[in-house]
Amino acid sequence: LKLLQSEGTLTIASTGKNPETGDLITKEYTVEGPVMIFMTTTAIDLDDELLNRCLVLAVDEDREQTKAIHQLQREAETLEGLIAKEERQHLLTLHQNAQRLLRPLRVANPYARALTFPDQATRTRRDHMKYLAMIRAIALLHQYQRPIKTMTHRHHAREYIEVAIDDIEIANKLAHDVLGRTLDELPPQPRRLLLLLDKMVSEVCEQQKIDRAQYHFSRREVRSYTSWGDTQLRVHLDRLVDLEYVLVHRGGRGQSFVYELLYDGKGQDGKPFVPGLIDVQTLRSTSTIQSSRGEEGQFAGSSRPQRGSFAGGSRVDKNNEKAADPSAESTSSADEIKNARLRKKKVA
């Protein structure tokens, strides 16, 4: 799967007999892509080499989401729900027909050089490509709201559209939830348990007027607070211990253990986020990019006008300042004429 997804093709060699001679021969079987892989699993440990090629989404297991699902399930049993079930197929057909209207256009991003992305780890090289692909996909979906331009290369005309700042803004919002979860060292379930532990510890410490480091809790207290099963809690709590979000202490009753929460709750309210993305409002205020190419499909000119064959120095001396300022030049000329007349009078 990893090779097929990255290379777009997969070749497997198999040994078999020649039906005519009976000799063993090697035959290659090739499967060509590109492919789109969609996988679901309940496993907590997955292959990292496969994960950094995919976008990781998780099921929302919060109580509010469960209430919303129950409400929809009850609505489905009503007369309006039966009608909505039949209307669902009509809506699916409408969306599929709308997707068929999309044309395979090239997408140019004139703001690409101004974009930023975290670069602390090597794996972000692939995640950066996911971010750029997300921007292209959003721009492609808005192709009927963008002017279609034409460029000429090697005597061939090609149509393309350009990325707008609004596309980057949408991509940043999606990246915080999607790529923020992908770049997280914690899987979604341990991350959810960590946030629940942080909430539990904060409430108890506030009630008892103690510091977070002084409060130690047991698995039974966590089960009572979260309503999680013992097996599920044990697996995810061990992951938090391994990654040093939670510290284990030996309890006072023989071999029992209690836990201390080391996590301080820092982040964007517990929500996944990608640090280092460019602020869209800053991009709006500083960007002067109009188009990556001219209206007639030619290459765009330079961003600065050409004032001479060679660039000047980084600093300007007083003589150059006078030369650049017309008023200073006229003043200097008048002073020279006046001094010359004074010198003639002295000589006479």
Side-chain angles (χ1 to χ4, degrees), residues 142-287:
H142 289 85
Q143 61 179 247
Y144 288 97
Q145 289 78 36
R146 306 282 186 268
I148 298 179
K149 302 183 179 182
T150 304
M151 65 175 178
T152 303
H153 181 66
R154 296 186 181 275
H155 308 290
H156 292 284
R158 296 176 175 85
E159 294 182 335
Y160 71 99
I161 59 175
E162 289 187 342
V163 171
I165 296 183
D166 293 337
D167 302 328
I168 300 176
E169 183 177 9
I170 297 174
N172 285 356
K173 292 179 180 179
L174 294 176
H176 286 311
D177 189 62
V178 178
L179 295 181
R181 201 181 303 273
T182 304
L183 292 172
D184 193 356
E185 65 178 354
L186 282 175
Q189 292 84 1
R191 170 64 64 181
R192 180 166 174 263
L193 176 60
L194 179 63
L195 298 179
L196 290 175
L197 291 177
D198 178 64
K199 183 179 179 182
M200 181 189 73
V201 172
S202 299
E203 293 176 356
V204 174
C205 291
E206 185 177 356
Q207 293 174 359
Q208 300 182 4
K209 306 299 181 181
I210 60 175
D211 294 334
R212 293 169 65 98
Q214 297 177 352
Y215 177 64
H216 296 170
F217 54 90
S218 64
R219 282 205 307 266
R220 180 178 180 180
E221 293 174 343
V222 179
R223 286 198 308 269
S224 177
Y225 183 83
T226 62
S227 300
W228 284 28
D230 181 67
T231 302
Q232 182 185 22
L233 177 61
R234 186 187 299 270
V235 171
H236 300 316
L237 189 58
D238 288 344
R239 173 59 67 91
L240 295 179
V241 172
D242 293 338
L243 294 178
E244 299 179 352
Y245 287 93
V246 176
L247 182 63
V248 182
H249 295 275
R250 185 175 297 277
R253 296 177 299 169
Q255 299 298 322
S256 64
F257 294 95
V258 291
Y259 301 88
E260 176 189 347
L261 183 63
L262 302 179
Y263 176 69
D264 57 1
K266 291 183 178 180
Q268 294 186 351
D269 298 329
K271 297 180 180 179
F273 67 100
V274 179
L277 295 184
I278 189 171
D279 181 57
V280 178
Q281 299 303 325
T282 303
L283 186 62
R284 290 182 191 275
S285 60
T286 59
S287 176

Side-chain angles (χ1 to χ4, degrees), residues 81-93:
L82 296 177
I83 297 176
K85 187 180 297 184
E86 296 181 359
E87 189 70 13
R88 181 174 181 269
Q89 186 59 43
H90 172 74
L91 293 176
L92 289 176
T93 304

Side-chain angles (χ1 to χ4, degrees), residues 64-117:
E64 296 299 326
Q65 181 68 9
T66 303
K67 289 181 179 179
I69 292 175
H70 289 171
Q71 181 65 28
L72 288 177
Q73 291 171 344
R74 289 190 290 266
E75 291 290 338
E77 299 297 323
T78 63
L79 179 60
E80 292 79 4
L82 296 177
I83 297 176
K85 187 180 297 184
E86 296 181 359
E87 189 70 13
R88 181 174 181 269
Q89 186 59 43
H90 172 74
L91 293 176
L92 289 176
T93 304
L94 179 63
H95 281 276
Q96 291 170 356
N97 292 336
Q99 291 178 14
R100 293 188 180 99
L101 296 176
L102 296 177
R103 298 171 53 192
L105 296 173
R106 291 174 173 83
V107 179
N109 190 348
Y111 307 98
R113 292 185 178 92
L115 298 178
T116 55
F117 199 80

